[in-house]
Amino acid sequence: MQMQSRFRSDRRLTARMGVTLFLLGLLYVGFVAALIVLLKSWVLVAVIAAAMLAAQYWFSDRVALYAMHGRVVEREEYPELHGVVDRLCAQADMPKPVVAVSSMDMPNAFATGRNPDHAVVCVTTGLLRRLEPAELEGVLAHELSHVAHKDVAVITVASFLGVIAGLMVRFAFYSQLFRGRKDQNTMAVFAAVMGVSAAVYAISFLLIRALSRYRELAADRAAAQLTGRPSALASALTKVCGDIARIPMKDLRTAQAFNAFYFTPALGSGAAFSRLLSTHPSLEQRLDQLGRISTELGEAAAPGKAG
């Protein structure tokens, strides 16, 4: 049996992605219908939003690397890192992504890019310093699973509706602010646009967060099955989550905009409410799943006790 099957299409993940995109599509149709009734300039806003989506889709890897101070590294500079990526890509029978390193002490990793042929996997120096080789392998397998399942592209497309809704709020607000139109009908339209846009943004936000949490569990599952060592991934999770909780909040703020792409979210220890709307499942959920996989694989060490 070829190792390629380890990263075969995840039916449950595909189904959840399909349902989420379908619901977002229905929401989008209703949103556009409301805009047609309320505004005459909705086409311009949709065109601007589409342009932003295209830019995000085509240039997400460059934007993410720039924002996170990442740089592409060659094999001569990080031979061990390249070696792990080479081995995992061979096992999964997938193209090797560009390898990058971010000079941040926050231990984390992320994958970005519109498809497996145009992908980047980036790890921070803080992660490389803290993890053992087997733990690093588990984290990289997790990120490669995102690449193989085209998670980044799906999340980018799913975010399109939220982008439009957010732009509509700003467009309606500033158009009224600068035009100075104060008649009752105009104010009613303004309030309606703001209300509809805010509601659509909130619903799309919750749907995308739910999808993102499931795709993280799917990536953990795929990584554990590819490496055959769920306990190593569990150990990495425990280390990274514990260390991130001790990172000063001011150092986490820069990273939080990219939480959906990270191995674990950049959240401080006091972010209980934020975790309810998190892009990632809780550490307990992830460890429980890895524990079940460890039992299925007959692994000797229990992942909940690793590391």
Side-chain angles (χ1 to χ4, degrees), residues 6-277:
R6 301 289 185 134
F7 272 164
R8 66 183 181 275
S9 179
D10 186 315
R11 292 183 179 179
R12 285 179 290 179
L13 177 61
T14 301
R16 300 244 181 159
M17 285 181 172
V19 170
T20 301
L21 291 175
F22 175 73
L23 293 175
L24 286 170
L26 290 180
L27 194 62
Y28 174 69
V29 171
F31 184 43
V32 170
L35 293 180
I36 292 174
V37 173
L38 294 170
L39 291 175
K40 295 181 180 179
S41 54
W42 64 272
V43 175
L44 175 61
V45 178
V47 169
I48 294 173
M52 291 181 63
L53 173 68
Q56 183 180 358
Y57 181 77
W58 287 96
F59 303 110
S60 61
D61 52 348
R62 300 178 193 177
V63 172
L65 280 180
Y66 176 79
M68 298 311 300
H69 311 291
R71 62 182 181 87
V72 175
V73 296
E74 301 300 331
R75 183 182 303 275
E76 293 74 19
E77 191 173 0
Y78 284 89
E80 295 85 1
L81 177 60
H82 272 272
V84 175
V85 175
D86 284 338
R87 185 166 63 254
L88 289 172
C89 288
Q91 288 178 322
D93 194 18
M94 63 182 290
K96 181 182 178 181
V98 172
V99 178
V101 171
S102 168
S103 57
M104 297 180 66
D105 186 56
M106 180 188 72
N108 226 320
F110 65 89
T112 185
R114 60 187 183 272
N115 57 48
D117 291 318
H118 300 85
V120 177
V121 171
C122 181
V123 298
T124 66
T125 53
L127 186 80
L128 293 175
R129 183 168 57 82
R130 288 171 171 87
L131 297 189
E132 300 296 327
E135 296 167 342
L136 177 63
E137 181 183 62
V139 172
L140 289 171
H142 171 104
E143 298 304 328
L144 289 173
S145 171
H146 283 315
V147 173
H149 291 140
K150 302 179 181 178
D151 286 355
V152 175
V154 170
I155 289 295
T156 299
V157 172
S159 302
F160 178 47
L161 183 59
V163 171
I164 291 182
L167 281 177
M168 282 306 306
V169 172
R170 291 169 176 80
F171 177 80
F173 178 78
Y174 287 114
S175 66
Q176 292 303 312
L177 182 66
F178 291 112
R179 290 179 187 175
R181 296 165 61 186
K182 303 294 185 182
D183 62 274
Q184 188 173 1
N185 288 338
T186 299
M187 293 306 294
V189 171
F190 169 71
V193 171
M194 291 286 284
V196 170
S197 299
V200 168
Y201 181 81
I203 295 172
S204 62
F205 178 90
L206 294 175
L207 286 173
I208 292 168
R209 290 303 189 276
L211 174 60
S212 181
R213 287 193 294 272
Y214 186 80
R215 78 190 185 105
E216 291 302 324
L217 289 173
D220 283 348
R221 183 167 58 248
Q225 291 170 345
L226 180 70
T227 63
R229 288 186 286 186
S231 61
L233 180 57
S235 178
L237 273 167
T238 304
K239 281 186 180 180
V240 170
C241 290
D243 284 349
I244 284 180
R246 291 190 287 269
I247 298 287
M249 194 62 199
K250 62 181 179 64
D251 294 333
L252 295 179
R253 290 195 184 103
T254 301
Q256 286 177 350
F258 294 89
N259 271 345
F261 298 99
Y262 282 140
F263 174 60
T264 57
L267 296 173
S269 57
F273 178 73
S274 297
R275 293 181 192 279
L276 295 177
L277 303 176

